[in-house]
Amino acid sequence: QVRLVESGGGWVQTGGSLRLSCAASGRTSSVATMAWFRQAPGKDREFVAGIRWDSGDTQYADSVLDRFTISSDKTKNLMFLRMDHLKPEDTAVYFCAQPSSSFYNGRDPNEYQFWGQGTQVTVSS
């Protein structure tokens, strides 16, 4: 079992920046992939960015490419999402997640078993 806790959300104006953190605890030795998802009101949960814990390889949704940066600190079981040049359409609840399989490295939220409680990001125009 892995417990995930997000922090760092808040309110920011268009063009601003925020940094989200995700702290993992519990069976962190099983962590292989971690990801950020987001869900806006009335919309499906969508993949934002993912990182392989061992290699550090990253992937991003097209909508956040070149604006968001995912990173990790394995020694402290932390994952981060640096968000720059924020837009109103980035407004959502942001979740960190771990897939049920250590081999999975995809973008389907249904393949992710462990989720944090979410942190709200609001970008005003």
Side-chain angles (χ1 to χ4, degrees):
Q1 193 80 2
V2 175
R3 182 170 180 258
L4 303 173
V5 179
E6 304 94 338
S7 61
W11 177 90
V12 66
Q13 290 186 321
T14 296
S17 298
L18 284 173
R19 187 195 195 209
L20 305 183
S21 299
C22 174
S25 61
R27 287 188 59 189
T28 55
S29 61
S30 65
V31 174
T33 294
M34 294 283 287
W36 289 97
F37 288 80
R38 66 186 181 186
Q39 187 165 20
K43 295 188 176 181
D44 293 334
R45 192 165 296 189
E46 65 173 357
F47 174 86
V48 175
I51 188 167
R52 288 291 293 180
W53 220 239
D54 49 4
S55 65
D57 289 344
T58 60
Q59 55 177 319
Y60 297 90
D62 289 345
S63 59
V64 307
L65 194 61
D66 296 328
R67 297 190 299 123
F68 291 11
T69 303
I70 189 171
S71 61
S72 66
D73 182 341
K74 293 187 290 183
T75 63
K76 298 180 180 179
N77 294 319
L78 292 170
M79 179 176 67
F80 306 100
L81 186 68
R82 171 72 181 188
M83 305 184 293
D84 296 314
H85 306 295
L86 282 161
K87 305 174 182 180
E89 50 264 44
D90 295 317
T91 295
V93 178
Y94 283 71
F95 300 88
C96 62
Q98 180 192 351
S100 53
S101 169
S102 60
F103 297 102
Y104 187 74
N105 190 31
R107 306 182 179 206
D108 184 353
N110 295 313
E111 297 294 331
Y112 285 75
Q113 179 180 8
F114 301 107
W115 294 85
Q117 81 287 352
T119 185
Q120 177 70 46
V121 170
T122 303
V123 185
S124 66
S125 57

